[in-house]
Amino acid sequence: QLTPMGTIVEASSVKEALGIVERAYEELGECERVYSTIKLDIRKGELGRLEGKIASVEEKIGRSVNR
């Protein structure tokens, strides 16, 4: 999910998440400098929690939010 302040990735493993980061760096290979900050929030269980959190907020405020 692309946001104004960054990109959010939901993956089933750390290996998968870091593979996504690696592919992103490969795409930026021509750049002189790439700055990034990576935060990992590792929680066992189902995927799709990000969508569920957005749906919960929408339900509480009674309208859709920008996605």
Side-chain angles (χ1 to χ4, degrees):
Q1 179 181 18
L2 181 62
T3 72
M5 299 301 290
T7 303
I8 300 170
V9 174
E10 188 171 34
S12 60
S13 68
V14 172
K15 185 175 183 174
E16 180 185 2
L18 294 177
I20 293 167
V21 171
E22 184 176 19
R23 288 193 303 273
Y25 271 87
E26 289 169 357
E27 289 294 320
L28 299 170
E30 299 295 320
C31 296
E32 291 293 319
R33 180 179 182 182
V34 177
Y35 174 83
S36 63
T37 301
I38 300 170
K39 293 181 183 181
L40 300 173
D41 182 1
I42 300 166
R43 183 179 193 150
K44 293 181 180 179
E46 300 177 28
L47 291 178
R49 293 182 46 84
L50 296 176
E51 286 296 320
K53 289 178 183 219
I54 294 170
S56 176
V57 170
E58 291 175 334
E59 180 183 328
K60 286 175 177 56
I61 64 173
R63 67 176 179 86
S64 294
V65 296
N66 295 335
R67 293 185 189 213

